[in-house]
Amino acid sequence: MKRLPVILAYIVLVLGGILMIFPFVWMILTSLKPFAELFNLEVLPREPTLENYRQVLTQTDFPRWFLNSLGIAGITTISVLFFDSLVGYTLAKLRFPGREIVFVLILATLMVPTEMLVIPWYVMSVGYGWVNSYWGILFPGLISAFGVFLMRQFFQSLPTELMDAGRIDGLSEFGVFWRVAFPLVRPALAALGIFTFLGNWNAFLWPLVIIQSPEMRTLPVGVALFSGEAATAWHLIMTASSLSVLPVLLVFLFFQKQIIEGVVLTGVKG
């Protein structure tokens, strides 16, 4: 009887896991079905085929969309890691008038929904000629307020004596940041990098607004509009969706420890 609550908990967790994973499994299996089997109620395909994948990879702009998303997510992640760390270090370890005010103003931007920023971003993009360009997609995500907050909290936990030792050894302030402080916050960098990459890989609203030509689309935009272009060809839509999920799964498989640590660390650092 003492183990009954544990058994019930495992049953609930297993049932919840099945409910969560079933749509994903259905998507994968549907991508392996020929069009003739698409609307039957059988979960497993009778005649599995890779023809859907061949069509998506050779007869659509999917490879270009994939590279667009990969490049944008990668560049944005590198930018966020560097600039958010630099700002976080400045706010944590350097003394200057108005430091706390600057930090509060940065935190205040977290309360502004992204939807409210789309119009100012678009007006600015039109004024500078950034519409339908990679820079137009990139610039809103090159630095994040959450990343600044996270990195500041971690830099504050570092002993100031380490920074002073670097200065005594003749390092410039940037040298102290880059060679002393930066390597010591790798857990926070890993968490921030993973969250940033996944967030930009799945970004939909802003790329949808700023992109005009099909070859400039990112994966979420391309797959969403592909559903309209493909009409009732749900087997191709499921195939494109399955391929777009692969990088996210790989990131999770290789960095699941860092993802879990990042969730824990972002909840306990203060």
Side-chain angles (χ1 to χ4, degrees), residues 209-268:
V209 171
I210 201 67
I211 294 171
Q212 295 179 347
S213 57
E215 65 273 9
M216 292 293 297
R217 293 173 182 169
T218 56
L219 263 182
V221 175
V223 172
L225 298 182
F226 178 68
S227 64
E229 296 168 2
T232 55
W234 291 105
H235 56 309
L236 300 184
I237 297 168
M238 291 296 183
T239 303
S241 300
S242 300
L243 289 172
S244 66
V245 171
L246 288 179
V248 178
L249 290 178
L250 291 176
V251 168
F252 179 77
L253 289 176
F254 285 103
F255 299 103
Q256 54 184 316
K257 180 179 179 181
Q258 287 82 353
I259 293 175
I260 295 172
E261 287 180 353
V263 173
V264 174
L265 292 173
T266 54
V268 302

Side-chain angles (χ1 to χ4, degrees), residues 85-96 99-100 151-164 167 173 176-177 180-182 184-185:
S85 298
L86 193 60
V87 176
Y89 172 81
T90 301
L91 294 175
K93 293 302 181 182
L94 301 185
R95 303 287 179 180
F96 56 90
R99 183 182 68 164
E100 298 301 325
M151 298 312 301
R152 175 187 178 270
Q153 303 306 97
F154 272 83
F155 280 121
Q156 276 192 328
S157 66
L158 299 181
T160 305
E161 291 77 10
L162 293 175
M163 319 298 134
D164 294 336
R167 297 184 185 102
E173 198 60 50
V176 172
F177 158 73
V180 178
F182 192 78
L184 295 176
V185 292

